[in-house]
Amino acid sequence: MISDKDILNARILIVDDQLINIKLLEKMLRQAGFTSLYSTNLGAEVKQRYFEYEIDLILLDIRMPDMDGFQVMETLQTAIQDDYLPILVITAELTQEIRKKSLCSGAKDFITKPFDQTEVIQRIRNMLEVRLLHKQVLTQNETLEQQVKIRTQQLEQSRLEIIKRLGRAAEYKDNETGNHILRMSHFAHMLALAVGLSDKFAADILTAAPMHDIGKIGIPDHILLKPGSLNPDEWEIMKTHVKIGADLLADTDVPLLKLASNIALTHHEKWDGSGYPNGLKGEAIPIEGRICAICDVFDALTSERPYKKAWPVEQAVDYLITQKGQHFDPKLVDHFLAIIEQVLHYRSRYPDTAYEASDQS
C-alpha cells in the first residue's frame, strides 16, 4: 500500500527550458507538500539526472531548443527498457498529433500550460501512485527471488552434504582410509580440468567420485577385510561391488547421483576391454569412469594397506605408463603425468597417517 508520505517524498524532476515554468511548478509542488524536487533546463541532462537522483517522476516540456521532449523520451526508453517510464508531458499545445506522438514515445499523462494547480497536483499524485506501486512490486519480486535463491542454495547444500556422507559410508567397512577417497576425488578433479572439461563437470566429479566404492557395503566382511589374496570365488563376489554401488545410486533425477552411478559402475573397466563388469572398451567407457580409474589405481598403489606396502611414486608412474592402452586411456595417462607434481603436492597434504591420527583424536 502506498501512503501519502511515500507520494510526498517521491523524487520529481522538472525539465523545462523556461526558468519561470520551473519556478512555478516547484512552488505548486512545495505548497502541496512535495519535498524532493530537482530541475534542469537542458534535455541532454535528463538521463544523467534520472539515474543520479533515482527519479520517480519526470515533468517534461516538449518544446525545448537543445533536445526536445521527444528526443529525451527516446533516450530514456533506450536506457530504461525493462522499467516503467514515469513521464508526464508539459505542453502548451496538446494537439491530437502531439498527444499520439507523446504516448508512443513513452509519456503516461499530460499537463497543459497555463497550469491549473489542482489538476497538476492530482495528475502528479495519480502518476506517482502507479510508479511507486510498480517499484513496490519490483522490490517484492526481487525479495522473493532472493528468498528462492537462498532456499535453493540451502537445498543444494543439503543434497551435497548427504551425497558426501553417503560417499563415506563405504569407509566404515573397507580397509582403506578416508583420505584415499579424499585424495582420489581431488586427483580426478585435477585431471578433469587438465583434460579440458568444464569447471562444473570437474566440480561434479569431485563431489561424485567419493562414492565410487560405495557398493563395498554389500560385500561380506570376511571377503572385504581379508588380509591375504582372494580366491577366485571370493574375487567374483568382490567384483559385484560395482554393480551394487551403481544400483544404490541409480533411478534418480539428480544429475550428481547419475554421475556417481556411472563412476561406481565403470571405474574398473579397462581401455582394452578386459575390465569389469561389462567389458567396455575405449571411449565406450564414460570419461568419468576412465578418469577415476587412473586416480583410484595411482593412489591405491602409492598407499600402504594391511596386505601390501606402498609403492614408490616412480614405480606407480611406470605402471601407469606400461598400462597405457591396456588398463588406461593413453591420453588421460599423459595428462595425469603432466600434473603429477600437483597430484603429489596434494597427496603430501593428506597422508593416511594424518587422517588416522585426527580420526582417533
Side-chain angles (χ1 to χ4, degrees):
M1 189 69 181
I2 303 302
S3 68
D4 194 59
K5 182 180 178 181
D6 293 330
I7 291 175
L8 295 177
N9 288 336
R11 298 165 179 265
I12 300 173
L13 176 63
I14 303 169
V15 186
D16 198 309
D17 63 319
Q18 299 294 320
L19 185 59
I20 188 172
N21 288 331
I22 291 176
K23 295 298 183 184
L24 182 56
L25 285 169
E26 285 180 341
K27 182 179 178 181
M28 287 182 181
L29 290 166
R30 292 198 188 281
Q31 287 177 345
F34 290 93
T35 59
S36 301
L37 305 179
Y38 305 87
S39 65
T40 179
N41 61 354
L42 297 174
E45 293 182 350
V46 174
K47 177 182 172 182
Q48 178 186 344
R49 298 286 179 87
Y50 177 83
F51 289 106
E52 182 179 356
Y53 299 120
E54 299 180 350
I55 296 301
D56 294 306
L57 176 64
I58 301 173
L59 304 180
L60 178 63
D61 187 26
I62 288 294
R63 303 300 182 191
M64 293 185 293
D66 69 316
M67 177 186 283
D68 67 26
F70 298 118
Q71 292 172 311
V72 170
M73 285 189 281
E74 183 179 352
T75 301
L76 287 172
Q77 277 194 318
T78 302
I80 316 170
Q81 294 182 0
D82 298 323
D83 200 358
Y84 177 88
L85 199 58
I87 295 177
L88 196 159
V89 162
I90 304 170
T91 180
E93 43 179 337
L94 191 57
T95 63
Q96 188 68 19
E97 180 184 353
I98 289 177
R99 183 189 293 270
K100 288 174 61 177
K101 189 174 181 180
S102 297
L103 292 172
C104 290
S105 298
K108 299 297 186 291
D109 203 352
F110 310 88
I111 55 175
T112 56
K113 302 174 184 176
F115 301 126
D116 180 289
Q117 183 169 357
T118 302
E119 180 184 3
V120 168
I121 297 303
Q122 193 56 54
R123 288 184 183 276
I124 288 173
R125 291 181 68 94
N126 290 344
M127 270 197 69
L128 281 172
E129 186 171 4
V130 174
R131 167 63 172 171
L132 296 178
L133 280 170
H134 175 77
K135 288 178 66 176
Q136 189 177 81
V137 170
L138 286 180
T139 300
Q140 290 172 344
N141 288 343
E142 289 172 2
T143 300
L144 287 172
E145 287 177 9
Q146 186 62 26
Q147 290 174 343
V148 169
K149 184 177 180 180
I150 291 171
R151 183 58 179 153
T152 301
Q153 289 174 340
Q154 290 172 338
L155 289 171
E156 182 64 18
Q157 190 60 41
S158 297
R159 184 162 61 184
L160 288 175
E161 185 65 24
I162 291 169
I163 289 172
K164 288 177 181 178
R165 291 182 180 274
L166 187 60
R168 294 183 60 190
E171 297 175 34
Y172 291 92
K173 288 200 65 179
D174 201 354
N175 53 19
E176 295 181 342
T177 71
N179 269 17
H180 163 69
I181 291 177
L182 178 69
R183 291 190 303 262
M184 173 265 186
S185 59
H186 277 81
F187 297 167
H189 178 252
M190 296 173 193
L191 182 53
L193 292 176
V195 172
L197 298 175
S198 71
D199 290 348
K200 183 182 184 307
F201 191 77
D204 287 346
I205 286 181
L206 175 64
T207 303
M211 289 179 279
H212 70 288
D213 273 342
I214 193 173
K216 287 183 178 179
I217 63 177
I219 303 300
D221 287 353
H222 73 275
I223 295 175
L224 185 66
L225 304 179
K226 185 176 179 179
S229 299
L230 301 179
N231 64 43
D233 290 339
E234 291 170 336
W235 179 237
E236 288 303 314
I237 294 172
M238 175 63 83
K239 289 196 294 185
T240 64
H241 81 274
V242 296
K243 188 67 167 60
I244 294 170
D247 288 345
L248 282 172
L249 301 167
D251 300 323
T252 176
D253 59 356
V254 179
L256 268 175
L257 290 180
K258 289 181 179 179
L259 183 67
S261 180
N262 282 342
I263 292 172
L265 185 65
T266 64
H267 72 285
H268 283 297
E269 298 286 1
K270 296 185 178 181
W271 184 257
D272 63 4
S274 63
Y276 66 89
N278 296 316
L280 299 180
K281 186 176 182 179
E283 293 187 357
I285 307 168
I287 184 69
E288 57 268 24
R290 285 178 272 148
I291 286 174
C292 288
I294 293 173
C295 300
D296 187 31
V297 169
F298 179 80
D299 191 71
L301 291 177
T302 54
S303 300
E304 185 173 352
R305 296 290 179 262
Y307 53 86
K308 77 171 190 67
K309 295 291 185 181
W311 287 22
V313 170
E314 296 76 10
Q315 186 178 349
V317 167
D318 287 342
Y319 179 80
L320 294 184
I321 294 172
T322 60
Q323 289 295 310
K324 287 172 60 174
Q326 297 176 52
H327 190 156
F328 307 117
D329 180 336
K331 292 182 180 179
L332 290 183
V333 171
D334 290 340
H335 282 291
F336 186 82
L337 296 180
I339 61 168
I340 193 67
E341 293 301 323
Q342 183 182 354
V343 167
L344 295 177
H345 175 72
Y346 188 88
R347 195 180 198 293
S348 69
R349 292 171 57 197
Y350 298 97
D352 290 336
T353 52
Y355 174 87
E356 290 163 355
S358 65
D359 193 51
Q360 293 167 1
S361 61

